[in-house]
Amino acid sequence: VNRLVDRLAAEGRTLVVRDGAELDGKVRRFCEAHNVGVRPDESLSTDECRIDAGGETVASGSVSTLSAYVGRDPETVGTDGSTPQLVEAFVGGGSAVESWSVERMVRLSREIERRAWTTGDGRLRSGFQMLSAFAGDTQTRNRYVKIVDAGVDVAVYGVPDTDPPDGPYRVVTDDDGTLADYWFVLYDGGGRDGATAALVTEEVEDGRFGGYWTTTPSLVDDLFELAREDHPDLFDQ
Amino acid sequence: VDSGAREGDRPQSATDGAPAGDDDRQRGDEPHAGADGPGLNDPLDRLRPGTNVVVTGPSMVGKVSLCYRLLAPAADAGRAIYVVATSEPADRARERYADYVSGWPDDLAVVDCMTRQAGLDGAADGDDRTWYVSSPGDLTGVGMAVSKAMAATPAERRSESRLLFDSVSTLLLYSDVETVYRFLHAATGRVQDVDGYGLFVLHSDALDEQTEATVTQLFDAVLEVREGDETGAEYRLSASGTDSEDWHRFTSGGVDGGAEP
């Protein structure tokens, strides 16, 4: 699964500025929300900045424009103005999950599950670490029944620490504990590009998760492919 | 586009033979009669224009399809309809709209926060009824797009228009609650300014009480949706200063009558 995390990490974008410590909080949070790291480059002037991805510059602009845009008072945002090219360049690739709590992970997992349910097609693959986390949660099981009923091919994964629950979903027992440290939800979108989403994380400390999530179709395709290559016994279909 | 001419082309009412109406009348005759079909009972009717409603409940109970259904009466009356889609592309929003609303899905104004974020190509430059935002984390962009969508409709259609925001939950994945609160304060203000109705979806799963309370305090009314018995889900409307309504059943499903969420 680490290869999946690495695949998403490789998509990382970086905001390059003269001095990252000078960035205001709003710009910093905007970077975090979009998985954009910050890197210093002393050859830039204090107001110059650019977005690099894969060793190339994809957009450049000024720190003051970026700061003014993300910090605009929503009450006064009107029909004037456009989105700076630099802001457009923030998206793409994946978003980082850094030491997220279980609660926040649940919210993101629901977002992906809702996409599957709404689309009513395609494949959903969800790793629960321990099977008891799925089997012991009636609400979650009911939701997964709904997702199957909507027309989605569903498989859930977990170390068999309890009897697999009966249901219309496929339960894959992770007998070797290969996936025991990972919380993941992969949805291939059922052929709808706008519906794909994937979350791949590792439990970095007790109850805290780190990794990435993405809605980029080509990336999600790659993740399914990598999962099949690395774990043919678990992701054979 | 001459919106006046477009309006002349739209069906004048839900009873013009639109399949949605036919289908739901049939469904009303089934044993679970008493469930509300589209247009039969418009809970927003008892609210003043300029009211913002937060639509809460767990995931996958049919909140969004109920909301699309609640767009129908205003659409049939020729009012403008706006959808802010945070996690699906504009064409998908139009498909859902077409499931519940007679008339032209093309007529729907959509703010699409998904297409560019997913790196999808196509007509991402937007047109006079579709506005693209780089991501659900770009709240300045969302605010501008909503303003532009509203400005693009004639004033007489903005009054008593309906805006569906699907969903606040997605915003909370990208921005902290204070930032989302400030954004929503402005967005609900815009709905007020045009004497419209706002429907803001908030999936209550795994949302801590403080976040939920912070968000819901911005709204004049709460539309709760919950799982009913096997015949479908139920909703209940509570407006500030009035008693809660009773629970009403509603059937999910679009014109095909299936279990489409």
Side-chain angles (χ1 to χ4, degrees):
Chain A
V1 184
N2 273 325
R3 278 222 297 162
L4 276 65
V5 176
D6 291 346
R7 176 71 188 86
L8 290 170
E11 291 295 315
R13 286 160 187 245
T14 311
L15 175 69
V16 186
V17 293
R18 184 179 174 85
D19 181 3
E22 298 282 311
L23 282 180
D24 66 46
K26 288 197 174 83
V27 172
R28 195 171 290 283
R29 282 195 294 276
F30 195 78
C31 289
E32 283 164 8
H34 291 89
N35 186 33
V36 170
V38 178
R39 189 165 60 81
D41 179 350
E42 286 188 357
S43 72
L44 296 174
S45 72
T46 48
D47 197 37
E48 279 179 316
C49 64
R50 63 173 195 267
I51 297 276
D52 285 359
E56 288 183 16
T57 297
V58 292
S60 52
S62 76
V63 175
S64 51
T65 303
L66 175 62
S67 175
Y69 180 81
V70 301
R72 252 178 103 172
D73 179 357
E75 302 289 346
T76 60
V77 168
T79 57
D80 297 338
S82 57
T83 304
Q85 195 209 349
L86 195 69
V87 171
E88 302 274 3
F90 269 72
V91 302
S95 296
V97 169
E98 281 175 16
S99 194
W100 279 23
S101 64
V102 169
E103 178 190 78
R104 204 165 166 198
M105 291 290 292
V106 168
R107 271 161 45 198
L108 180 49
S109 300
R110 289 288 173 283
E111 172 90 11
I112 299 172
E113 291 159 6
R114 277 196 303 271
R115 280 168 180 252
W117 177 70
T118 302
T119 305
D121 201 353
R123 293 172 298 166
L124 180 72
R125 302 288 179 260
S126 300
F128 284 85
Q129 300 184 284
M130 297 293 146
L131 209 50
S132 55
F134 178 74
D137 184 342
T138 313
Q139 286 185 343
T140 297
R141 285 205 321 273
N142 288 345
R143 237 182 354 263
Y144 271 73
V145 170
K146 285 185 175 192
I147 297 169
V148 173
D149 287 348
V152 181
D153 175 53
V154 176
V156 299
Y157 299 78
V159 174
D161 60 339
T162 182
D163 289 337
D166 285 334
Y169 32 72
R170 196 153 52 86
V171 177
V172 180
T173 54
D174 173 21
D175 297 309
D176 301 332
T178 314
L179 307 172
D181 292 333
Y182 301 93
W183 181 326
F184 63 90
V185 185
L186 307 176
Y187 177 55
D188 72 359
R192 279 181 179 266
D193 273 350
T196 56
L199 161 70
V200 183
T201 63
E202 181 176 9
E203 188 164 8
V204 287
E205 57 182 297
D206 201 19
R208 291 274 163 182
F209 294 81
Y212 293 91
W213 71 288
T214 184
T215 57
T216 304
S218 58
L219 270 175
V220 176
D221 284 351
D222 284 359
L223 295 179
F224 268 91
E225 193 57 44
L226 283 172
R228 257 193 307 275
E229 279 176 20
D230 288 3
H231 307 290
D233 49 328
L234 300 173
F235 291 93
D236 57 332
Q237 39 181 320
Chain B
V1 170
D2 179 356
S3 58
R6 292 181 53 80
E7 210 161 305
D9 292 340
R10 72 162 41 241
Q12 292 305 304
S13 78
T15 58
D16 279 4
D22 290 339
D23 186 72
D24 278 278
R25 275 195 296 277
Q26 284 164 15
R27 200 177 298 137
D29 294 329
E30 286 169 19
H32 57 267
D36 295 336
L40 298 179
N41 180 357
D42 179 7
L44 303 191
D45 242 1
R46 53 185 275 252
L47 302 176
R48 271 180 296 117
T51 298
N52 286 286
V53 182
V54 62
V55 183
T56 68
S59 288
M60 303 180 205
V61 289
K63 293 185 298 298
V64 177
S65 44
L66 175 64
C67 286
Y68 272 97
R69 182 173 292 191
L70 294 179
L71 299 176
D76 290 333
R79 306 298 182 181
I81 306 294
Y82 311 99
V83 171
V84 182
T86 58
S87 49
E88 60 189 19
D91 58 352
R92 176 67 182 142
R94 293 205 162 88
E95 281 176 28
R96 283 167 174 263
Y97 181 76
D99 276 348
Y100 294 101
V101 181
S102 58
W104 295 5
D106 281 358
D107 206 29
L108 179 69
V110 184
V111 173
D112 173 337
C113 311
M114 175 69 220
T115 293
R116 286 193 186 173
Q117 190 210 14
L120 301 175
D121 298 329
D125 289 336
D127 52 41
D128 59 351
R129 285 178 298 282
T130 312
W131 290 265
Y132 292 92
V133 179
S134 64
S135 89
D138 175 10
L139 294 181
T140 303
V142 179
M144 285 195 308
V146 169
S147 297
K148 287 175 181 174
M150 285 184 168
T153 40
E156 67 273 15
R157 294 190 59 210
R158 285 203 291 271
S159 160
E160 297 184 40
S161 58
R162 292 189 183 183
L163 178 143
L164 166 57
F165 199 104
D166 173 27
S167 69
V168 175
S169 305
T170 311
L171 301 190
L172 288 166
L173 292 174
Y174 289 83
S175 306
D176 56 56
V177 65
E178 292 79 16
T179 306
V180 171
Y181 179 91
R182 287 177 59 238
F183 167 80
L184 289 174
H185 186 269
T188 52
R190 240 152 252 161
V191 170
Q192 249 171 3
D193 290 345
V194 299
D195 278 331
Y197 293 90
L199 294 162
F200 290 74
V201 176
L202 180 67
H203 303 287
S204 59
D205 319 50
L207 205 57
D208 64 90
E209 279 176 26
Q210 198 186 340
T211 302
E212 188 169 5
T214 302
V215 170
T216 53
Q217 68 175 299
L218 280 163
F219 294 88
D220 318 297
V222 180
L223 187 62
E224 293 168 87
V225 182
R226 70 176 185 188
E227 203 82 63
D229 56 22
E230 60 279 2
T231 61
E234 300 178 323
Y235 70 81
R236 177 171 75 174
L237 182 69
S238 323
S240 54
T242 64
D243 293 334
S244 292
E245 266 191 1
D246 295 331
W247 289 97
H248 299 270
R249 272 186 286 160
F250 69 98
T251 51
S252 62
V255 291
D256 61 359
E260 180 80 8

